[in-house]
Amino acid sequence: MTTPQPPGGPGPGGAPQYVYGVTRSGTALPGDVNGLDDLPVALVEDGGVCAAIVSDLPRDRALGERADLVAHQRVLNALVDAGTVVLPFRFGAALADRAAVEKELLAGNSERFGHVLDQLDGKIELRLKATYVQDAVLREIMAAEPEIAELSRRLREVPPDVADAVYYDRIRLGELIAQSMERLREADGRTLLDGAAPAAEAVAAKTPVREEDVLDASFLVRADRRAEFERAVDELARDHADRVKVRLIGPLPPYDFVPEE
């Protein structure tokens, strides 16, 4: 990843600025958090209702080190932990100087940013991740699918010196198990989602990446309903503990509930 190039280089307003996100004007920033290269974080305001959270852009090197990503997230997490409403930016946003932040970012977008901040105010993002207990689910599949159980039994009895002769049977077994896992994942994922969603304002579900993943979803939850939401998740975790591991992460910057535009 290369360093973002602010248009025209450093402007008359000073050093190029790295932008972490947008919050309300007059927000008190946490005093114990710094940004990229441990540079101080500040607000840039243009007299409107919104302000940009910025620090000087590191000079003479490309961005993209792990420390840069960690610093970006650290700043946003500190704001979330302090109860500050924030519209988080993705990693890599930069402008030529503070004057450019005022004119190019804030001046024409204040109303739109303010509307999004209103939608996020008093809410937090929590992410629920659920994965299968592999051995338990495989036993469940074998018990429910006689064809899979029989094929698995026959393959276990094949002598090692003729293993090549059943190559396609092993492929077929893998396909059958994958198909059965997909059916289970769809049903279990819906059960978990339906169990947690009533205590949330909005849900953003992601496509599971790994075979053992059951659910990966973010929930926008009102801060005053967080305990209710967590109780619902705890109940789901208890009800499915023998076959599904449930993990709740957050609060997080509300990336999944910021309009794409």
Side-chain angles (χ1 to χ4, degrees), residues 8-42:
Q17 297 295 292
Y18 183 87
V19 185
Y20 301 88
V22 170
T23 187
R24 297 199 188 283
S25 292
T27 292
L29 296 178
D32 58 349
V33 62
N34 291 325
L36 304 181
D37 283 4
D38 282 330
L39 294 167
V41 177

Side-chain angles (χ1 to χ4, degrees), residues 3-10 16-17 57 94-97:
T3 303
Q5 296 299 315
Q17 297 295 292
L57 187 70
L95 288 166
D97 51 36

Side-chain angles (χ1 to χ4, degrees), residues 31-256:
D32 58 349
V33 62
N34 291 325
L36 304 181
D37 283 4
D38 282 330
L39 294 167
V41 177
L43 288 185
V44 173
E45 306 180 61
D46 71 341
V49 298
C50 299
I53 306 150
V54 305
S55 68
D56 287 354
L57 187 70
R59 294 180 179 273
D60 303 322
R61 71 172 182 85
L63 291 183
E65 297 176 5
R66 183 178 184 277
D68 297 330
L69 298 168
V70 169
H72 177 91
Q73 197 66 21
R74 183 177 65 234
V75 170
L76 293 170
N77 285 344
L79 289 163
V80 171
D81 290 344
T84 302
V85 58
V86 60
L87 192 167
F89 281 19
R90 299 289 179 183
F91 178 79
L95 288 166
D97 51 36
R98 293 196 176 192
V101 175
E102 293 177 20
K103 295 174 184 177
E104 297 173 24
L105 177 64
L106 296 175
N109 296 299
S110 184
E111 182 178 348
R112 181 163 61 94
F113 288 159
H115 178 64
V116 176
L117 289 169
D118 286 343
Q119 292 178 319
L120 298 175
D121 198 8
K123 303 179 182 74
I124 58 174
E125 177 171 326
L126 296 167
R127 188 171 180 180
L128 191 158
K129 302 189 78 172
T131 57
Y132 278 126
V133 177
Q134 288 282 67
D135 289 346
V137 173
L138 285 174
R139 286 195 299 270
E140 184 178 331
I141 289 173
M142 296 296 177
E145 305 273 359
E147 180 184 2
I148 294 177
E150 174 60 21
L151 182 55
S152 177
R153 183 193 63 77
R154 285 195 287 108
L155 289 174
R156 287 197 304 271
E157 295 174 353
V158 173
D161 58 340
V162 296
D164 289 347
V166 292
Y167 173 77
Y168 291 106
D169 284 336
R170 295 189 186 281
I171 291 178
R172 176 60 177 160
L173 178 62
E175 291 173 343
L176 290 172
I177 290 174
Q179 291 166 8
S180 185
M181 288 275 288
E182 182 60 32
R183 290 191 294 271
L184 280 176
R185 180 186 298 112
E186 184 174 340
D188 291 331
R190 174 51 56 187
T191 296
L192 294 173
L193 199 64
D194 289 348
E201 304 301 302
V203 180
K206 303 169 178 61
T207 301
V209 175
R210 303 173 303 170
E211 184 180 71
E212 65 267 28
D213 291 338
V214 184
L215 181 67
D216 183 357
S218 294
F219 297 81
L220 189 65
V221 179
R222 276 181 17 208
D224 61 1
R225 296 187 69 192
R226 178 178 177 179
E228 176 187 350
F229 180 83
E230 290 178 342
R231 283 195 298 271
V233 172
D234 286 344
E235 184 175 342
L236 290 169
R238 287 194 301 271
D239 290 346
H240 301 275
D242 58 334
R243 54 194 298 278
V244 178
K245 294 180 180 178
V246 174
R247 184 161 57 108
L248 192 61
I249 306 166
L252 301 170
Y255 285 112
D256 291 306

